[in-house]
């Protein structure tokens, strides 16, 4: 089948789809990934075809959530996604942030499936993770709040307006979020979640068609070799700790770097930073660029990160303790899962992050052997999973019943 994966988001969002796409290609399918231009590298590294989307979601996130930044990004998003309807595809695979792609699939007359990195469907187990709710509202309250984010989006007219604009742009009849959601549930629209069931057990109250499959690991770039400076640094002393905050680190690189350096000095630890400019910051701190986490993390004593879904997955895969510093969106949820699994001390929300707090958490993660023991045990379990296999099976079954045009 000709498969189009819509990977709206930043680098950490696109990388798992590159891993899934590579496996689908190995299974005999033609795979293209639609992603924002600044974040297509994982798909390029996987030798997948790319359709660049205009705009940059990071501009909306770092624009202090200003209405003008949101509107500019949403304009780009609507036009970029609507343009995908002109491409040849037999199946669309949609991330949670690319939910508008269901309108594209409808306009193209092809089926679609969800390939989510976050569990957004209603459950009593936890409140909606992309909302302002951080504490449980009770089982009924959690389910109701999550359902309302589909039927009456929290962002109100802005989100509903995107859907209406998309349908008008594609020549589709108008509808409402409630009708779209009820149709989604009536047809049991399939959604596969690229996260380990060891990290996120499948909620027992989920309807059929919602599955937790295991992580989708991106392939390492072809012919990639570590920088000699990094190899020398790793060999020159005890295992360092990793400190990185994802794509947002580029927004305030100097601030993130200075805070991390102060924390490492307080804790007396060596560090590898992914927060800004590259090179030796001091004898005990090295700042690096883009290094595959599957290679880097197992060589660390601990990893401190923002708890994006992909980085969280790479951390638990490596079998090393974590220090969770969530910033926004789904990150507090994944931070809470790391703490619940016993592989990380209590999370430090970014707004409360100080050198002293980061130093204390790093010291705890490195010196308390229980965190490493639990992290290693979890990594062994995760290594036995094949998260792409259930998606490939579903696509193959669809190929039998839905012949490509």
């Amino acid at each position: 089948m000709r498969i189009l994966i819509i990977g709206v988001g930043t680098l950490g969002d696109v990388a798992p789809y590159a891993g899934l796409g590579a496996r689908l290609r190995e299974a005999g399918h033609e795979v293209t990934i639609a992603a924002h231009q600044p974040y297509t590298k994982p798909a390029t590294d996987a030798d997948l075809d790319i359709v660049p989307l205009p705009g940059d979601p990071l501009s909306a996130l770092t624009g202090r959530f200003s209405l003008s930044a949101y509107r500019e990004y949403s304009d780009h998003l609507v036009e970029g996604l609507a343009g995908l309807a002109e491409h040849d595809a037999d199946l669309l695979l949609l991330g949670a942030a690319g939910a508008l792609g269901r309108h594209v699939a409808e306009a193209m007359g092809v089926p679609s499936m969800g390939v989510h990195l976050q569990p957004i469907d209603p459950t009593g187990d936890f409140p909606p993770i992309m909302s302002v709710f951080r504490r449980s509202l009770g089982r009924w309250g959690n389910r109701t709040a999550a359902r309302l984010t589909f039927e009456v989006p929290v962002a109100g007219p802005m989100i509903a307006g995107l859907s209406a604009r998309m349908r008008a742009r594609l020549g589709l009849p108008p509808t409402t979020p409630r009708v779209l959601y009820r149709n989604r549930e009536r047809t049991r629209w399939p959604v596969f979640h690229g996260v380990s069931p060891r990290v996120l057990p499948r909620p027992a109250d989920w309807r059929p068609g919602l599955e937790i499959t295991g992580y989708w690991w991106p392939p390492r770039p072809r012919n990639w070799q570590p920088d000699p400076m990094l190899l020398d640094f790793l060999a020159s002393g005890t295992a360092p700790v990793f400190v990185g905050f994802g794509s947002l680190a580029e927004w305030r690189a100097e601030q993130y770097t200075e805070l991390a350096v102060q924390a490492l000095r307080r804790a007396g630890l060596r560090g590898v930073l992914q927060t800004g400019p590259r090179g030796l910051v001091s004898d005990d701190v090295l700042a690096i660029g883009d290094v595959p986490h599957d290679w880097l993390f197992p060589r660390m004593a601990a990893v401190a990160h923002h708890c994006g879904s992909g980085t969280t997955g790479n951390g638990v895969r490596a079998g090393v303790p974590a220090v969770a510093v969530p910033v926004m969106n789904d990150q507090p949820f994944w931070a809470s899962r790391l703490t619940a699994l016993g592989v990380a001390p209590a999370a430090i929300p970014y707004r409360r992050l100080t050198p002293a707090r980061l130093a204390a958490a790093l010291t705890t993660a490195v010196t308390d052997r229980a965190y490493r023991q639990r992290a290693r045990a979890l990594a062994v379990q995760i290594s036995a999973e094949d998260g792409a296999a259930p998606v490939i099976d579903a696509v193959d079954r669809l190929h039998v019943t839905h012949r490509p045009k």
Side-chain angles (χ1 to χ4, degrees), residues 113-117 190-194 209 211-213 216 390-391 394 397:
M113 298 178 183
V115 284
H116 290 185
L117 305 178
V191 182
F192 301 93
H193 296 80
E211 302 298 337
I212 306 288
T213 67
W216 304 319
V391 184
R397 290 195 301 270

Side-chain angles (χ1 to χ4, degrees), residues 116 118-126 139 143 146 184-185 188 191-193 195 200-213 333:
H116 290 185
Q118 303 87 11
I120 62 173
D121 282 86
T123 175
D125 290 2
F126 44 81
R139 296 196 64 82
R143 287 189 58 84
R184 178 188 192 271
E185 296 305 284
R188 293 184 174 178
V191 182
F192 301 93
H193 296 80
V195 60
L200 176 66
R202 183 185 186 278
D205 58 354
W206 266 4
R207 63 162 172 82
L210 304 176
E211 302 298 337
I212 306 288
T213 67
F333 176 79

Side-chain angles (χ1 to χ4, degrees), residues 125-359:
D125 290 2
F126 44 81
I129 68 171
M130 304 296 282
S131 74
V132 297
F133 302 112
R134 294 297 179 226
R135 295 183 179 180
S136 177
L137 305 172
R139 296 196 64 82
W140 181 86
N142 289 343
R143 287 189 58 84
T144 300
R147 190 183 72 250
L148 289 176
T149 63
F150 284 95
E151 295 187 351
V152 186
V154 174
M158 289 193 294
I159 299 298
L162 282 183
S163 182
R165 287 168 55 193
M166 177 68 75
R167 294 186 69 82
R169 173 71 172 74
L170 293 169
L172 297 172
T175 186
T176 66
R178 177 169 294 178
V179 169
L180 289 170
Y181 175 67
R182 292 184 175 180
N183 181 62
R184 178 188 192 271
E185 296 305 284
R186 177 182 58 80
T187 60
R188 293 184 174 178
W189 189 64
V191 182
F192 301 93
H193 296 80
V195 60
S196 169
R198 303 287 181 178
V199 174
L200 176 66
R202 183 185 186 278
D205 58 354
W206 266 4
R207 63 162 172 82
L210 304 176
E211 302 298 337
I212 306 288
T213 67
Y215 288 107
W216 304 319
W217 306 118
R220 192 175 294 176
R222 184 180 298 176
N223 300 322
W224 180 85
Q225 294 293 327
D227 189 307
M229 180 181 290
L230 175 57
L231 291 175
D232 291 343
F233 181 80
L234 294 175
S236 67
T238 58
V241 298
F242 170 88
V243 181
F245 301 106
S247 299
L248 283 175
E250 300 175 10
W251 177 35
R252 292 181 175 174
E254 292 184 5
Q255 176 184 340
Y256 281 111
T257 299
E258 180 60 27
L259 189 153
V261 169
Q262 290 183 32
L264 291 167
R265 287 173 180 163
R266 281 174 173 262
L269 295 170
R270 303 174 76 230
V272 171
L273 307 185
Q274 206 168 43
T275 58
R278 307 178 188 182
L280 277 172
V281 178
S282 69
D283 290 342
D284 292 328
V285 180
L286 176 68
I288 62 172
D290 187 18
V291 176
H293 286 170
D294 71 301
W295 182 91
L296 182 65
F297 283 4
R299 291 167 168 80
M300 300 291 105
V303 291
H305 57 81
H306 64 303
C307 294
S309 177
T311 308
T312 299
N314 277 299
V316 295
R317 182 191 195 187
V320 296
V323 170
V325 187
V327 182
M328 62 177 64
N329 296 336
D330 59 324
Q331 296 165 10
F333 176 79
W334 298 120
S336 72
R337 292 303 306 146
L338 291 176
T339 301
L341 290 164
V343 300
I348 311 171
Y350 174 72
R351 67 182 181 277
R352 295 176 55 198
L353 185 64
T354 64
R357 287 193 175 108
L358 181 56

Side-chain angles (χ1 to χ4, degrees), residues 6-95:
I6 299 182
V8 173
T10 57
L11 203 63
D13 301 296
V14 178
Y17 296 133
L20 178 60
R23 288 290 305 281
L24 286 164
R25 183 188 57 200
E26 292 173 4
H29 302 285
E30 300 177 24
V31 182
T32 300
I33 292 185
H36 293 291
Q37 182 66 59
Y39 311 110
T40 57
K41 188 177 185 300
T44 301
D45 291 339
D47 293 327
L48 298 174
D49 292 332
I50 298 168
V51 177
L53 296 174
D56 185 345
L58 195 59
S59 64
L61 292 175
T62 58
R64 299 184 182 274
F65 301 97
S66 70
L67 188 58
S68 60
Y70 174 84
R71 283 176 174 168
E72 181 179 3
Y73 172 66
S74 64
D75 288 344
H76 287 305
L77 184 62
V78 168
E79 286 304 309
L81 292 181
L84 296 178
E86 301 173 4
H87 291 265
D88 292 328
D90 306 304
L91 171 67
L92 269 57
L93 298 183
L94 313 176

